[in-house]
Amino acid sequence: MTVRVMLISPAPGPALRAARFDDDAPLDEAAVRRAGEAAGALPRGARAFSAPSRRCLQTAAALGLDPAAEPALRDLEAGCWRGRSLEEVAAGEPEAVAAWLADPGAAPHGGETLLTLIARVGAWLEDRVSGDGGRVLAVADPAVIRAAAVHALGLPPQVFWRLDVPPLTLTELSGRAGRWNLRCGRPLTASGPPLD
């Protein structure tokens, strides 16, 4: 059975704007308002999920969704880098950052590797196909959306960092029996009809 998985990146919160590793900080008022403005653009009739982070749950609420929190959609675990900016970590640990960006199996921060993230998100995607099909809508962090695209298209993990996922965009995967198609980065705007 064909399934359509629509992944929405969350509104830009303080951590994203500061290029800081996730510290589960809440969204500010401007981000919540921006997500609320996009509420009318969502496709109808989809089962809703959200990553368990506050920014994803707040984005989902502002979009008018009542999602099930899905642990498999949690962001990349950054270990001891959590809450620190990439600039700060690169200044203090340049070799570790270089290794992390070059090797998808590296986890110098003591957290999760990109390979582990891709496998986790890939398993969640494949579970959607083995279900009853239909539409699935999920608010997930950019790293999770990148991991989904890498898994679905069978891309080499080294391309992970080359995929850009802007805030409040929709990335759509449709597939069945392990074959996926990708539609990238449609902005959510309230000015047009709902996405279908």
Side-chain angles (χ1 to χ4, degrees):
M1 173 130 339
T2 299
V3 66
R4 187 170 162 194
V5 178
M6 297 163 282
L7 301 167
I8 298 172
S9 55
L16 180 64
R17 287 193 296 270
R20 206 171 59 238
F21 290 95
D22 180 34
D23 57 359
D24 205 24
L27 295 176
D28 54 28
E29 281 185 38
V32 171
R33 185 173 48 255
R34 188 169 164 202
E37 291 168 355
L42 294 179
R44 307 281 184 242
R47 290 174 287 156
F49 296 91
S50 175
S53 69
R54 282 196 272 183
R55 78 172 153 260
C56 287
L57 290 168
Q58 284 182 296
T59 298
L63 290 169
L65 300 172
D66 184 20
E70 175 54 63
L73 296 177
R74 69 189 179 281
D75 200 6
L76 175 73
E77 174 51 52
C80 66
W81 294 353
R82 184 181 169 124
R84 298 170 64 192
S85 72
L86 181 57
E87 183 179 335
E88 174 189 350
V89 174
E93 304 175 52
E95 297 85 15
V97 171
W100 181 63
L101 292 172
D103 179 4
H109 44 59
E112 189 173 34
T113 69
L114 292 181
L115 294 176
T116 303
L117 172 68
I118 293 165
R120 170 170 44 91
V121 174
W124 181 82
L125 271 178
E126 297 307 324
D127 283 349
R128 305 292 68 84
V129 172
S130 65
D132 58 1
R135 292 176 166 200
V136 173
L137 186 63
V139 179
D141 291 292
V144 171
I145 297 172
R146 287 186 196 109
V150 167
H151 169 81
L153 299 179
L155 299 172
Q158 291 79 3
V159 305
F160 179 91
W161 295 115
R162 296 173 62 192
L163 302 175
D164 188 24
V165 180
L168 291 174
T169 56
L170 180 94
T171 300
E172 184 178 330
L173 296 163
S174 58
R176 65 173 183 234
R179 184 181 187 283
W180 293 94
N181 294 317
L182 173 68
R183 189 179 218 181
C184 302
R186 293 167 51 180
L188 294 177
T189 60
S191 60
L195 301 169
D196 52 346

